[in-house]
Amino acid sequence: DIQMTQSPSSLSASVGDRVTITCRASQSISSYLNWYQQKPGKAPKLLIYAASSLQSGVPSRFSGSGYGTDFTLTISSLQPEDFATYYCQQSYNTPPTFGGGTKVEIK
Amino acid sequence: QVQLQESGPGLVKPSQTLSLTCAVSGGSISSGGYYWSWIRQPPGKGLEWIGYIYYSGSTYYNPSLKSRVTISVATSKNHFSLKLSSVTAADTAVYYCARTYYDSRGYYPDYWGQGTLVTVSS
């Protein structure tokens, strides 16, 4: 299985901050990388697919980049509704696997 | 707007079979173009993809669960189902169903159900 490692596992940030979350794959996954946001008690929500494509309806402050083994999710200006846990997921190989998550908390 | 809704028992005894159904509205499973997935999340932990099914009935199961999992589809009822046999406490989780889009750039769940907590306990 391809292991997906996210860092940091948690971070504290203030409204308006620029936030970057990293996801590293245990082998090259080309651009087969997706990002999700999950709030407590809710289902995950797709933010970014194919490493850098913004899902319809997702604010443009979210962006994704990367290729191969290293990927980033960036929130350009953190908003109150962005405090949540973020997960990456690869679909290069089966089984599809998720990262362990990054919890973004209010500083 | 596609909506998915999981249903089934919230409590299952150890060694028994967990059974859940996902009702799809706002779109037809038989129209094709999507996989229909089950994904679970143990309390306080990360996400695990259980498997998925195409409207034709072809399936993929995560090897870690393959010996215990069956996913089926009922296109006439516009729903799909999950069965997980011989459950233990480790199978306690929130179970999500999801529509999964696929193309040359990969596949990803774009619509999710709200999730249902299944507890395995005697």
Side-chain angles (χ1 to χ4, degrees):
Chain A
D1 297 6
I2 296 177
Q3 307 303 316
M4 306 301 294
T5 303
Q6 288 183 233
S7 61
S9 56
S10 66
L11 65 90
S12 295
S14 300
V15 172
D17 283 353
R18 181 181 183 88
V19 169
T20 298
I21 297 168
T22 297
C23 178
R24 175 165 289 176
S26 59
Q27 67 180 75
S28 177
I29 58 169
S30 183
S31 60
Y32 292 84
L33 190 283
N34 310 308
W35 289 98
Y36 304 85
Q37 175 195 68
Q38 187 178 34
K39 297 181 179 179
K42 300 294 187 182
K45 172 188 174 182
L46 177 68
L47 299 176
I48 302 285
Y49 60 93
S52 61
S53 295
L54 191 68
Q55 172 69 351
S56 176
V58 174
S60 59
R61 62 181 179 273
F62 291 93
S63 64
S65 64
Y67 184 89
T69 60
D70 295 316
F71 301 86
T72 58
L73 173 71
T74 299
I75 309 172
S76 60
S77 177
L78 197 66
Q79 298 302 300
E81 61 267 31
D82 301 337
F83 292 95
T85 300
Y86 294 84
Y87 293 94
C88 60
Q89 173 249 323
Q90 65 83 20
S91 63
Y92 180 78
N93 262 355
T94 55
T97 48
F98 293 88
T102 295
K103 187 173 184 179
V104 177
E105 299 176 303
I106 302 172
K107 182 181 283 185
Chain B
Q1 177 86 350
V2 174
Q3 293 185 312
L4 299 94
Q5 178 68 58
E6 305 90 350
S7 62
L11 181 64
V12 181
K13 290 182 167 51
S15 80
Q16 294 192 342
T17 296
L18 178 160
S19 296
L20 295 174
T21 294
C22 181
V24 178
S25 58
S28 174
I29 288 178
S30 57
S31 63
Y34 301 96
Y35 301 137
W36 301 90
S37 296
W38 287 99
I39 296 165
R40 71 179 182 177
Q41 185 173 36
K45 297 187 178 180
L47 297 155
E48 180 181 31
W49 207 309
I50 299 169
Y52 52 76
I53 192 164
Y54 195 54
Y55 80 96
S56 61
S58 60
T59 54
Y60 166 79
Y61 300 140
N62 191 319
S64 67
L65 298 167
K66 187 174 183 177
S67 63
R68 300 194 291 130
V69 170
T70 303
I71 298 175
S72 59
V73 64
T75 53
S76 60
K77 297 180 180 180
N78 215 35
H79 73 213
F80 62 108
S81 300
L82 169 70
K83 290 189 185 297
L84 182 66
S85 64
S86 304
V87 297
T88 70
D91 296 309
T92 293
V94 175
Y95 286 76
Y96 295 102
C97 59
R99 187 185 83 167
T100 301
Y101 179 83
Y102 66 90
D103 66 11
S104 61
R105 297 168 297 178
Y107 53 93
Y108 43 85
D110 58 354
Y111 285 93
W112 298 65
Q114 64 185 24
T116 187
L117 175 63
V118 179
T119 302
V120 179
S121 175
S122 55

